[in-house]
Every structure is written in C-alpha cells, then in structure tokens.
Amino acid sequence: MASLWRYLLAGLGLAALLVGILAVVYLTAPQSAQTVGPDVSRTRNSDNGLFVASFSPERGVVRQGELESWLLTLKTKAGAPVEGAAIAISGGMPQHDHGLPTSPQATDYLGDGRYRIEGVKFTMSGLWQLHFAISASAGSDTVLFNVVL
Amino acid sequence: MKRLFCFLALTVAVILVGCGKPDFSDAEKKTIASLALNTLPSLQPDTTNRFADVPAAAALGSTLFFDLGMSRDGTVSCSTCHKIDRQFQDDLPQAVGVGRTNRRTMALAGVARDPWFFWDGRRDSLWAQAVTPLENPLEQAGNRAAYAHYIKTRFGERYERIFGPLPDFAGLPLNASPLGTDAEKAAWNAMSDTQRDAINRVFANIGKAIAAFERSIEPAQTRFDRFALDLATGAEPKDDAVFTREEILGLKLFIGKANCVICHNGPRLTDNSFHNTGAPPVADLPLDRGRIDAVAQVEADPFNCFGAYRDGDASACGELRFMVKDAPQLMRAYKTPSLRGAATRPPYMHAGQFSSLDEVVAHYAKAAPSVEGTSEIHPLELSDRERAALVAFLKTLSE
C-alpha cells in the first residue's frame, strides 16, 4: 500500500511539473512573438549612412487617431547637426497595402538638427512605416522608421 | 483511493469551470476595452465655431433642424432624413428630400467627434456640413439669400441675441446663391462683395447653430459596453451583460481572424478615415468615386477651415492642412461608419447596397475586387457558424 502511494505521489509530482512547464511555455509565448517583430528603434542610420536620424513624438506619447507632431533629428555621422534639409515624407501600413491617412510635412526647423514633422496620424493599430527622403548640403539619403501601435 | 478520486474529480471540475468562462488573451482584453464606450473621451471644444457650446445657439439649431420652413417649398427639414427616433437616419438605401439623392442618410450619434463629414468627407466641420444640404437641389433645395430673409422674419430676435445684429436687408435679392439656378447665380453675381459676405455670414451662423445642436447627439451604452466593462474590471457579468458562446466567438473574430477592428476601432468603432472596401456601385446612380473627388470639393468650399467664416485661429485646421490629396487609395474610398446601432438600421453602405448584416459579412468574406481602385479587404475563410457569430456580435452593439 505504501509503495502504491509513493507511485501516485511521483505521478502527481510529474503531472504538476508538466503543468508548470506548459504554463511557462504558454505565458512566455506571446512575449517571444513580439520580440521577433520589426525594428522599432527611434534612432537609425540613413540607408547610405549619410545621416543619423532620430524620430520621436513631440509630446512623448503616441495616441491612435490624433494629429500629432513628431521631431526628426538629423545629425551627420560625426554628430554635427544637419541644417537646411529638405524632407519629403511618405509611408503607410505594409500589411494592409494602404498609405498614410494624412500627409505629414516638415513645418519648422527648431535648431540643433531638429525638424518638426506635423500632421502625423496613426488611425489603426499595427505596423506603420514612415519613409523620409532627406536632402541637405551633405547629400541626399533616405531613412525608414517602423512604428508599432 | 477514495481521497484520490475526490482529488481527481475536483481537478477536472476546476478545469471544466475554467473553460466555460469567456477566456480572452491579455491582448484581446486590451482591444475589447478600447472599444468600450467608457473610453470615449469627452467632446473637445470646436474652436472654429465659437457658438459650439452656447446653449441658446444649440436651441436655435435644434429648432432649425426640425423646421420644414428651412427648404425651398417648405416640405423638407434635416429631420426628414435624420429622424430623431431612428438614430437620425431614415432606413432608406438612398435618401429622399426634394429629390432622390445618391447616398444613404448617415446616422448622427457622436458625429461631432469626426474630422470629416459625408461618406466622402467633402466637408471639414460640422457647421460647414450643415449648410450643404440646405442648398442641395435634391435635399432642401433652398438658396442662402432666401434662408437669410427667412431667419430675419422668423427668428430675427433669437438670432441677434446670439450672433449680433443681422445685416441691412435693403436691396438684397430674395433669392441668390453661387450654387443655385441660373437666375439665383446671376442675382448673386450682381450683389456687392459686402452684401455677399453679409449673406454668407448669416448662412455660416445657421450652420454653427445647427452644429451646436448636433454636438448633443451622442452614442448610448449597449450590451457590449456592459460586457466589456465587466471583463475589464473582472466583475461577474450579470443579466444581459452575459454574452452567449456565439457572441463571444463573433467578438473574437471581429478583433481577430476577420480583422474588422483594424478599421472599426475605438469606442465608436470607426477610425474616422476613408477606405475602399469594394462596395459595389448601384445601377442607375451616377458615377461615384468617393473620397478622390471630395478633395477638390473641400478645398474649394468657402466655409472650410481656411475660409473667412472660421472662428479662432488656423491651428485648428490640421486635418485640412495635412489632408491626403492625391493617392490611389482614395479611389472609391468612403468613411468608415460607426457600427454602434448598425444592427437596427439597415440597409448598409454608402448607397444602401446591402439589406442585411448577413449580406455585409458575406461581402467581407468574399472580398470582391473594387470596380475602380483597389479594395483593402482580403478574402476570409469563414464557416456559416462564424458568419452568424459575427452578426450576433454586431447586434450586441445595438441592444
């Protein structure tokens, strides 16, 4: 009788272990799915390496469905601010093949390589891409930012 | 041995009870919470209309909204099509005023929160929208000079208490408008700039009063909102806040596999934007290209946000300033309608193309290509049970 109880206990122990493992797998699965997503860093090198660009919401937070201003900061590789740049913006949601719901524009130069980008609006959750075509005295280059809502 | 069976039975029972409850992932819960009415932000002030929150203006606006006198022959008011007991719409595939129009009457709950108005967004403020049907020959079919005279005779005192003195009407033609008949256009062109501006100002103020009234038309709580609130707070749903298995499946599809939520999002279930969903054209109606033709119209509208009749400063004009003007995605794109109350107001789409929610869901599943431009909808594998579930869920937004 005693040995039967021991087997049962062992059985229960194993079952508990299995449940534990399943729980760990289940709980960590969504997180790991997120980390394989697109590169959402807010600072990137431009495609041909001419500029280091940072792109961030002016008020710090991103709110779905609202017109917002963002700041695009352009530096040379050496870290000098890029002044007098002409900036053209396009983009959209690659997964739904449609473009941006608004046409954002660079409306102001704030000094120190910082440009105000007005009219940015994300109307859906998901992956958005913003392409910047930048042309300055250092040359022309492009940079893409991924924004996930 | 007995104890063991007890233990096993208990475990099984716990698992079964767990399965009977609606079980949503954290991501699903977050999405569901974002659709609930309690997340609707309070209505922002409209700086382009300084009478937007003036009660006397809203009261006058309400009078005008229901006044048959606000039409060419005294037979049509806003409420002819926007019926107060029918969610401010008329249950027709295409609205009928003085004539038969080409589009379906839009329900008005929460409309003051929109950036664009009409199915194609050819107006950029609630007050600029409100003056449009007054002169549309198929709707109220009047002209702005006649409306100004009418306001003076019928509501002169009320008007002046809100908006200040009416202009001098001496020498003003009884009928004149830049959009009217040839005679009305000729009369308009014969007026001085000052006279035209004076009439336009009265006309804009009519729009501002009606807009002030429309700001009070808000969406109501539904079964879905009670369910979502309980889910968010972890409370045990009671009474009609309990969802059936079918409704839960429909909700999961709506925010999951069927991907409706990418466009029908937020507490009004609309992204306030324009999409081509491949809704078919209606035989016998004139060519309708949706948003792509509205861009030039809103830019040309003298009552738009850049125009002379806006109150406040131009910082409120971001939507117009940063509007997408020429992109292929605008072809046959229409405004995403709110789905609140949709189940009880067929027919559906911009020209009443579908007479039931079953037809709408079948349309999305099939995802037929658009006659012009590219539909953003992709075909869905949906079983009969899943289609019925989507419809069952949509109904919870009307109960």
Side-chain angles (χ1 to χ4, degrees):
Chain A
M1 208 47 200
S3 69
L4 179 65
W5 274 114
R6 213 178 293 156
Y7 279 120
L8 270 172
L9 268 179
L12 279 176
L14 277 175
L17 194 70
L18 197 71
V19 168
I21 290 169
L22 280 176
V24 167
V25 168
Y26 178 77
L27 286 175
T28 53
Q31 270 101 323
S32 56
Q34 261 166 25
T35 52
V36 282
D39 177 0
V40 292
S41 48
R42 296 264 164 96
T43 299
R44 302 187 78 170
N45 293 324
S46 59
D47 296 322
N48 293 318
L50 276 186
F51 311 114
V52 179
S54 309
F55 186 54
S56 56
E58 191 166 5
R59 284 190 303 172
V61 287
V62 191
R63 267 194 290 253
Q64 189 170 320
E66 281 180 31
L67 273 183
E68 290 176 323
S69 302
W70 286 57
L71 294 179
L72 181 73
T73 308
L74 298 174
K75 300 268 162 93
T76 63
K77 277 198 113 161
V82 176
E83 309 212 315
I87 300 166
I89 303 148
S90 59
M93 289 190 98
Q95 280 146 9
H96 305 301
D97 19 86
H98 71 78
L100 297 173
T102 55
S103 35
Q105 289 159 30
T107 54
D108 216 354
Y109 180 62
L110 307 172
D112 207 23
R114 291 178 308 142
Y115 296 82
R116 178 175 285 133
I117 311 294
E118 279 188 88
V120 179
K121 182 164 162 180
F122 302 110
T123 41
M124 308 174 178
S125 50
L127 169 66
W128 292 84
Q129 291 188 325
L130 282 145
H131 303 259
F132 294 88
I134 302 152
S135 145
S137 53
S140 299
D141 207 348
T142 53
V143 63
L144 178 147
F145 286 94
N146 293 309
V147 178
V148 173
L149 253 77
Chain B
M1 234 18 207
K2 214 168 134 197
R3 255 196 292 170
L4 179 67
F5 278 123
C6 274
F7 175 75
L8 284 178
L10 230 117
T11 320
V12 170
V14 165
I15 290 169
L16 281 181
V17 167
C19 290
K21 271 199 174 172
D23 111 67
F24 295 100
S25 70
D26 286 347
E28 284 175 325
K29 281 186 183 162
K30 210 175 132 205
T31 308
I32 293 166
S34 73
L35 302 176
L37 195 59
N38 66 324
T39 63
L40 190 71
S42 56
L43 191 56
Q44 296 295 304
D46 177 2
T47 56
T48 72
N49 173 6
R50 65 195 164 94
F51 308 98
D53 296 310
V54 173
L60 177 61
S62 159
T63 306
L64 299 177
F65 191 93
F66 297 97
D67 182 5
L68 294 172
M70 293 292 286
S71 60
R72 186 182 62 200
D73 49 8
T75 53
V76 181
S77 70
C78 309
S79 70
T80 302
C81 304
H82 300 283
K83 297 182 192 302
I84 191 166
D85 55 345
R86 290 298 310 138
Q87 300 185 42
F88 289 94
Q89 54 87 55
D90 55 13
D91 304 311
L92 297 171
Q94 295 109 38
V96 179
V98 168
R100 184 183 200 87
T101 74
N102 309 323
R103 297 246 177 96
R104 205 191 95 217
T105 304
M106 303 174 90
L108 298 184
V111 69
R113 294 151 192 283
D114 287 6
W116 301 106
F117 302 87
F118 290 123
W119 284 103
D120 53 13
R122 66 184 180 279
R123 290 295 179 270
D124 68 339
S125 73
L126 203 48
W127 58 271
Q129 189 288 326
V131 297
T132 312
L134 295 175
E135 291 193 319
N136 182 331
L138 301 173
E139 297 185 85
Q140 279 146 290
N143 65 80
R144 60 192 73 172
Y147 287 119
H149 285 284
Y150 179 74
I151 290 289
K152 182 181 156 65
T153 7
R154 280 294 307 272
F155 307 107
E157 219 175 281
R158 271 175 90 181
Y159 176 98
E160 292 194 329
R161 250 183 281 134
I162 303 161
F163 299 105
L166 278 157
D168 178 11
F169 278 77
L172 283 181
L174 287 178
N175 295 291
S177 164
L179 306 178
T181 61
D182 287 347
E184 286 161 8
K185 279 186 201 152
W188 182 257
N189 291 331
M191 286 162 62
S192 72
D193 282 346
T194 325
Q195 287 177 320
R196 282 196 285 254
D197 179 62
I199 295 289
N200 275 344
R201 205 158 286 282
V202 176
F203 200 43
N205 285 339
I206 292 174
K208 289 177 182 177
I210 294 175
F213 159 65
E214 289 172 302
R215 282 168 70 82
S216 65
I217 307 171
E218 286 276 46
Q221 267 240 342
T222 64
R223 263 187 73 210
F224 166 73
D225 300 304
R226 292 189 280 277
F227 170 83
L229 202 63
D230 285 340
L231 186 70
T233 56
E236 192 67 42
K238 278 199 297 280
D239 309 326
D240 73 345
V242 181
F243 264 26
T244 65
R245 268 171 199 282
E246 189 182 39
E247 288 160 352
I248 288 168
L249 174 64
L251 170 56
K252 278 186 178 265
L253 289 166
F254 189 89
I255 63 173
K257 182 171 113 179
N259 235 337
C260 314
V261 78
I262 61 166
C263 298
H264 296 283
N265 60 33
R268 292 183 55 227
L269 294 106
T270 168
D271 63 352
N272 289 322
S273 194
F274 302 93
H275 302 277
N276 180 328
T277 58
V282 176
D284 309 330
L285 287 186
L287 179 75
D288 191 332
R289 308 199 314 159
R291 181 67 178 162
I292 203 159
D293 288 337
V295 169
Q297 295 180 47
V298 67
E299 283 189 306
D301 177 22
F303 300 104
N304 75 17
C305 195
F306 291 150
Y309 304 98
R310 176 202 73 226
D311 300 316
D313 63 45
S315 66
C317 306
E319 291 286 350
L320 187 59
R321 185 174 174 205
F322 302 107
M323 165 173 73
V324 177
K325 293 182 186 163
D326 48 2
Q329 75 200 50
L330 303 184
M331 175 59 78
R332 281 189 72 78
Y334 297 89
K335 191 165 111 169
T336 312
S338 170
L339 297 183
R340 290 190 170 274
T344 47
R345 52 169 163 78
Y348 301 106
M349 305 311 201
H350 65 270
Q353 283 95 331
F354 302 122
S355 55
S356 68
L357 287 177
D358 299 303
E359 282 181 33
V360 174
V361 170
H363 158 77
Y364 279 112
K366 185 164 166 238
S370 178
V371 282
E372 251 187 299
T374 312
S375 170
E376 290 175 36
I377 304 299
H378 304 293
L380 290 168
E381 286 290 343
L382 290 178
S383 66
D384 287 351
R385 185 171 149 261
E386 288 173 325
R387 288 177 194 213
L390 268 173
V391 173
F393 162 65
L394 290 174
K395 287 184 180 163
T396 69
L397 289 161
S398 297
E399 293 166 343

